[in-house]
Amino acid sequence: VDAKADNGFVTILKKLTAQGRICGPNPGPNYAPAMFLAEPEAKGLTKTALASAMSRLLSANTIRVESFGPPSHQRSKLVLGD
């Protein structure tokens, strides 16, 4: 299940990033695990499984958090690691 969630997370992140959609690491309107549930690639996965996958992928440097926006209103988004 972990591998399925990890692979699904990366696949969906690549797809949404290519579409110019911002996926964030923090709960809110752009919270990646919640956004990803609407995608067909997430079939069979739960928000909890996707949140766990996000944690594992961040720890493994497969994905990382990148800040953007003006200094007065910094925002965070998830991007694929180096």
Side-chain angles (χ1 to χ4, degrees):
V1 173
D2 286 357
K4 180 183 178 193
D6 291 359
N7 291 337
F9 194 98
V10 170
T11 300
I12 298 167
L13 180 60
K14 282 181 185 174
K15 178 177 134 181
L16 297 186
T17 300
Q19 294 173 353
R21 294 168 66 188
I22 294 169
C23 307
N26 304 315
N30 294 331
Y31 185 50
M35 287 177 69
F36 290 6
L37 288 176
E39 300 301 319
E41 296 88 347
K43 185 173 172 143
L45 296 173
T46 64
K47 185 168 145 183
T48 303
L50 289 166
S52 296
M54 181 172 70
S55 294
R56 283 191 300 277
L57 294 167
L58 283 166
S59 294
N61 292 323
T62 305
I63 62 174
R64 61 188 168 83
V65 177
E66 189 174 273
S67 295
F68 69 101
S72 61
H73 188 67
Q74 285 282 294
R75 296 177 60 206
S76 298
K77 66 180 176 180
L78 293 171
V79 295
L80 293 172
D82 299 324

